[in-house]
Amino acid sequence: MCLSIPSKVVKINEDKTMCTVDTMGVQRDANLMMMADDEVKVGDYVLLHIGFVMNKIDEEEALASIATYKEILELMDEEERKRAILEDDECPARGEQYAEELETDGRA
Amino acid sequence: MAGLELNNLYDDFRDGKTLQAYARIIAEDAAKLERPINIMEVCGGHTHSIMKFGIPQMMPENVNFIHGPGCPVCIMPKERIDHAYVLAMQPDVILVTLGDMIKVPGSNGSLQDARAKGADVRFVYSPMECIKIAQENPEKKVIFFAIGFETTTPMTAVLLDQVIKQNITNILFHINHVTVPEVMVELIDSRDIHVDSYNNKIDAFLGPSHVSVIAGSKIYEKFPKDYGRPVVVSGFEPVDVMEGISMIVKQFVEKRCELEIQYKRVVTYEGNLNAQKLIETYFDKVDLFRWRGLGNVPESGLKLKDGYAKYDAEVIYRDVLPIAEIEDHKLCICGDILRGMAKPPECTIFGTACKPTTPIGSCMVSSEGACAAYYKYGNLITS
């Protein structure tokens, strides 16, 4: 009931009670009556729930989240690289160690 | 700035590598914990995401999930479903509701059964569809069986607002809206009393995000302050959930106990003030609301204000509505599951007598119910 994907407002009706949004390429109508007057504008990203616009999505925060995730990935890739070098130094045991690590990580 | 792109939002928040990266951060931090911690995800949306993306598998041994009662269908006691059934069977009524409510068994059967007996029961995607149904059926009463937490309450308020403004005389409401903070208090209190099979308690909460989109994060302020439980309001995407868990674990490692927002892209401290105003205009708190499996929880439900009694189906149809409280099926442990004291596979009828196609308990009916999530995605769980 609650899972939602962000939608972009592409049109607001004249009486401002309804708008048309684009959600991953699918256009649909959404009710604007839960939002304050003139709070939502064309081009804004909004969160929909059962046909209503619940609130706007903060673009800066959304982009910041994406950036954080990318940073983590880069950091982890670097660590992975370091680990690979260290493991290479302990060459004979490498394969077994990695299998154990995978198991304790729950990834195996 | 590149600008927001839907594909970025969608793909990045489900990215497998990012999930694994977070899993590592959580594991590294969790290694510093002095004792295991139990995190309750209150919302069914979180339960669904956690199970669908195999998040329990990615957790270290000392970070556990407790599934909470955050599914509006699952927490509905049988007597309220019986109300819906009785209303639906009235000759001049069209009963309208949302979601999986139609499949939940009451003591006489489900709304689906009522429909099979000739009742006009309709499922709608949005409450506003009631207006069209009412206009097309002027000789009938359309009763909206309203369900949900803070998230859906303002939508019912918008519908009532329009009913009044458009002078629509054939829409009535049966209100079953409930509130999250009150049941969280109940869970903390009862879990501290009852020692369960895990002999543990709720250490922290993953706060339901869409509830806070409306009500703001402010509604959880008392949990770190008065109950010593950190709350992190998190989004539903798997990466959001992982970041939320990571924030909770960090709080324990750093010996902090705070209210934090992970889902900053939509949740603010204040929430949607306009929606809150709509709720205050039309609703009052009830003294007690009986939750399925949890019993009476003080001030955890809403009703229409006395001034709007002429729209209240519970008032208008009070002579035909049953008043007895009805207990659940003896073998069903939905109560313990909703309280976070048992996990679905511990139920003797889980997956045998009780399946999504033939549900006995409400946790199996709704796609957001813990049992349904375990049934559908349970093969992802290794332990």
Side-chain angles (χ1 to χ4, degrees), chain A residues 1-2 54 58 66 69 80, chain B residues 13 24 210 265 272 368:
Chain A
M1 214 167 146
C2 287
M54 287 176 77
D58 187 306
I66 294 172
Y69 303 144
E80 259 171 2
Chain B
F13 293 134
R24 289 243 224 101
H210 285 184
R265 59 188 189 273
N272 182 335
E368 283 184 19

Side-chain angles (χ1 to χ4, degrees), chain B residues 218 220-231 257-259 269:
Chain B
K218 62 187 175 192
Y220 305 120
E221 217 161 31
K222 63 181 167 189
F223 293 97
K225 223 168 87 196
D226 303 336
Y227 294 90
R229 263 73 169 196
V231 177
C257 181
E258 292 165 15
L259 167 63
Y269 177 78

Side-chain angles (χ1 to χ4, degrees), chain B residues 6 17 64 66 69 74 84 105 112 170 190 210 227 231 233 240 258 284 300 304 334 338 350:
Chain B
L6 285 180
K17 278 188 188 160
N64 305 314
I66 299 175
C74 304
Q112 218 163 17
N170 62 332
S190 67
H210 285 184
Y227 294 90
V231 177
V233 181
D240 290 326
E258 292 165 15
D284 271 337
S300 65
L304 289 183
C334 271
L338 290 172
F350 172 80

Side-chain angles (χ1 to χ4, degrees), chain A residues 1-8 22-25 28 31 33-36 45 47 49-63 65-66 68-70 72-73 76 79-80 83 105-107, chain B residues 1 3-4 6-10 12-13 15 17-18 20-22 24-25 48 57 72 98 125-128 151-152 154-155 158 162 210 213-214 236 239-240 243 262-266 272 274-275 278 368:
Chain A
M1 214 167 146
C2 287
L3 295 174
S4 299
I5 299 164
S7 305
K8 188 178 187 173
D22 183 294
T23 315
M24 305 285 292
R28 49 191 173 148
N31 191 302
M33 291 183 220
M34 224 161 79
M35 303 301 291
Y45 281 89
L47 189 67
H49 187 50
I50 54 171
F52 283 84
V53 171
M54 287 176 77
N55 222 337
K56 288 205 286 191
I57 292 172
D58 187 306
E59 183 166 339
E60 218 167 294
E61 289 292 352
L63 289 169
S65 304
I66 294 172
T68 309
Y69 303 144
K70 293 202 165 136
I72 291 173
L73 278 181
M76 283 301 163
E79 276 188 9
E80 259 171 2
R83 195 172 63 168
D105 269 354
R107 287 186 289 159
Chain B
M1 188 180 285
L4 194 57
L6 285 180
N7 287 341
N8 262 350
L9 272 171
Y10 193 70
D12 287 359
F13 293 134
D15 181 75
K17 278 188 188 160
T18 314
Q20 293 293 353
Y22 265 119
R24 289 243 224 101
I25 292 174
H48 193 92
Q57 268 185 308
L98 298 171
Y125 167 70
S126 169
M128 297 308 276
T151 321
T152 52
M155 294 144 191
V158 167
Q162 285 303 305
H210 285 184
V213 170
I214 302 298
F236 293 113
V239 169
D240 290 326
E243 189 181 17
Q262 177 276 334
Y263 200 45
K264 280 188 184 152
R265 59 188 189 273
V266 205
N272 182 335
N274 197 56
L278 277 162
E368 283 184 19

